Amino acid sequence: MRQRSLIAITAALAAGALTLTACGSRDGDGGSDSGGGTTVVIGIDAPLTGDLSALGLGIKNSVDLAAKTANKEKYVEGVTFKVEALDDQAQPSAGQQNATKFVADKDVLGVVGPLNSSVAESMQKVFDDAKLVQVSPANTNPALTQGPDWQTSKARPYKSYFRTATTDAIQGPFAAQYVYNDAKKKKVFVIDDKKTYGAGLAATFSEEFEKLGGKVVGTEHIDPETKDFSAVATKVKSSGADVVYYGGEYPQAGPLSKQIKASGAKIPLVGGDGIYSADFIKLAGASGTGDLATSVGAPVEDLPSAKEFVANYEAAGYKEAFEAYGGYSYDSAWAIIEAVKKVVEDNNGELADDARAKVTEAMQGVSFDGVTGKVSFDEFGDATNKQLTVYSVEDGAWKPAKSGTYEG
């Protein structure tokens, strides 16, 4: 990773172009700054290799930093935290296998991850059956916490699942309001990658956009395994759309944006937090200027609580940037640490025999001032922090355009 100033890092969560290093699927060395006492393992599930590894490695490093910080501060008396990172390659089948591995390790009392909502779907029951708490810094599909019928009847499917990121029920409409009211775009072409995250996000955006008075002039699904979107780009151009909304992630969004512009449609591409990465800007090239993304939370430079995290992350010397979910990953890990602390304190300074169940129970009442602001969970396990930000690509970097909450 090239050297950069603290100001450059705080300018955006997705900081600079990176040379990613291939990472092994296991990492048991993290957070081992203090010895003795009881060892508690915090699992990490994320894509550590492949197209989405920029985000996954940011998650891994941020959890590692939380564990090391807790150990250095002796935050939980008699407990040393370690991390164990497994690579899901953004594949549900791999995520489910990883969940089974974590459950089999009795020292694992909590897991941070995954990145992808589709991967989370494959893991939730495995963790819930074992009463092993899971906190995702990045999943946004509403059904994960509120059930498949969340739009009409909310019901929490799994008591062991929590998240620090807000949901697409808020993110999609928030983007629609910005595009229609602020960017003054009235005709949108909607594209998604058919995956749980992308399709869900596109649906909530479209519903709100039409409710506001906008028109969806075309829809298309793409194959995320390809990078040739010329046929879709031609459809976008002929549709007369003045904006494109893409539900999906940056490996496809970058080339898609570039090819839409090359077709002659000089219109912005808008996406969710899945495209909010420095890698999107690299893939989209110069024509990506003016493209937009929503992401969870407020810009890091607006949060005094994030300054210490940014400084400590830089001082730790990680090779990869913390990216879009670094602060949320740190807070997810710290939520687990807080829950472990309560269990230990309630059990005369020791872990209870049914520690996993106790940690899951304690998580519901966790509340602290984190990197991303106030961290706590509602009755569904969702983050109570509903803040979102729209970012715009300007001068080769993501710049905040507007922060706020969805006004439904």
Side-chain angles (χ1 to χ4, degrees):
M1 176 179 173
R2 66 170 186 261
Q3 294 297 311
R4 66 186 87 246
S5 68
L6 182 59
I7 294 174
I9 295 181
T10 55
L13 283 168
L18 303 171
T19 301
L20 298 176
T21 56
C23 176
S25 63
R26 300 177 70 86
D27 179 0
D29 298 328
S32 55
D33 284 358
S34 67
T38 302
T39 296
V40 168
V41 175
I42 299 175
I44 304 165
D45 179 87
L48 306 179
T49 57
D51 284 347
L52 293 171
S53 60
L55 298 177
L57 292 169
I59 290 171
K60 171 182 172 288
N61 294 342
S62 301
V63 175
D64 180 71
L65 180 61
K68 286 178 175 173
T69 301
N71 291 340
K72 184 178 179 181
E73 296 178 359
K74 294 182 168 53
Y75 193 72
V76 183
E77 194 65 37
V79 171
T80 297
F81 291 96
K82 289 196 168 187
V83 300
E84 180 84 33
L86 298 181
D87 182 8
D88 64 28
Q89 301 175 330
Q91 298 298 322
S93 58
Q96 189 172 66
Q97 291 169 5
N98 292 346
T100 301
K101 289 178 185 176
F102 285 132
V103 166
D105 184 347
K106 63 180 177 55
D107 292 333
V108 177
L109 293 189
V111 177
V112 176
L115 170 70
N116 305 84
S117 292
S118 57
V119 176
E121 286 178 325
S122 75
M123 307 176 84
Q124 285 181 303
K125 188 176 188 303
V126 178
F127 285 137
D128 203 64
D129 286 349
K131 295 181 170 60
L132 178 58
V133 76
Q134 171 186 15
V135 188
S136 173
N139 297 159
T140 55
N141 188 278
L144 296 172
T145 48
Q146 300 173 22
D149 300 321
W150 62 270
Q151 288 175 301
T152 55
S153 177
K154 294 179 174 64
R156 187 175 184 178
Y158 300 105
K159 291 290 181 69
S160 64
Y161 178 87
F162 297 80
R163 55 177 151 204
T164 53
T166 195
T167 75
D168 295 334
I170 298 170
Q171 182 174 199
F174 181 77
Q177 289 188 352
Y178 182 86
V179 170
Y180 187 86
N181 294 327
D182 296 80
K184 307 297 184 187
K185 304 297 184 183
K186 310 303 181 188
K187 295 184 291 184
V188 65
F189 195 104
V190 179
I191 306 169
D192 71 66
D193 62 2
K194 297 184 286 190
K195 298 196 308 193
T196 302
Y197 163 75
L201 187 59
T204 59
F205 172 89
S206 298
E207 182 181 1
E208 180 71 13
F209 192 75
E210 289 184 313
K211 189 187 299 181
L212 292 167
K215 185 177 181 182
V216 176
V217 296
T219 61
E220 192 65 62
H221 307 291
I222 60 143
D223 178 0
E225 299 302 315
T226 186
K227 295 293 191 294
D228 180 4
F229 305 117
S230 54
V232 178
T234 300
K235 289 182 181 179
V236 170
K237 184 178 184 300
S238 63
S239 72
D242 53 13
V243 65
V244 171
Y245 189 83
Y246 176 65
E249 295 148 335
Y250 65 83
Q252 295 75 37
L256 178 61
S257 171
K258 193 172 189 176
Q259 291 170 44
I260 286 171
K261 271 77 163 182
S263 76
K266 308 298 185 184
I267 59 176
L269 180 140
V270 183
D273 53 327
I275 80 167
Y276 178 57
S277 168
D279 280 26
F280 170 83
I281 297 172
K282 287 196 294 183
L283 292 166
S287 61
T289 297
D291 285 349
L292 301 165
T294 52
S295 192
V296 292
V300 71
E301 68 269 21
D302 291 350
L303 295 171
S305 56
K307 286 180 170 50
E308 185 178 1
F309 164 73
V310 173
N312 290 343
Y313 192 96
E314 185 180 60
Y318 295 111
K319 294 176 182 176
E320 305 87 14
F322 49 80
E323 284 278 352
Y325 304 108
Y328 292 88
S329 302
Y330 187 99
D331 284 349
S332 294
W334 203 263
I336 293 170
I337 291 165
E338 289 282 0
V340 170
K341 181 180 176 72
K342 185 176 192 319
V343 170
V344 169
E345 289 177 348
D346 289 352
N347 196 49
N348 300 315
E350 296 182 357
L351 283 172
D353 291 338
D354 57 345
R356 282 181 173 173
K358 293 291 189 188
V359 168
T360 297
E361 183 181 333
M363 185 63 70
Q364 192 63 55
V366 160
S367 180
F368 63 96
D369 293 321
V371 173
T372 60
K374 187 74 172 178
V375 178
S376 59
F377 306 99
D378 66 15
E379 68 270 29
F380 300 103
D382 282 327
T384 55
N385 183 352
K386 311 296 187 186
Q387 186 87 357
L388 284 158
T389 299
V390 176
Y391 293 88
S392 175
V393 178
E394 298 174 26
D395 300 323
W398 288 109
K399 304 290 178 63
K402 184 176 183 178
S403 293
T405 56
Y406 166 57
E407 303 296 334

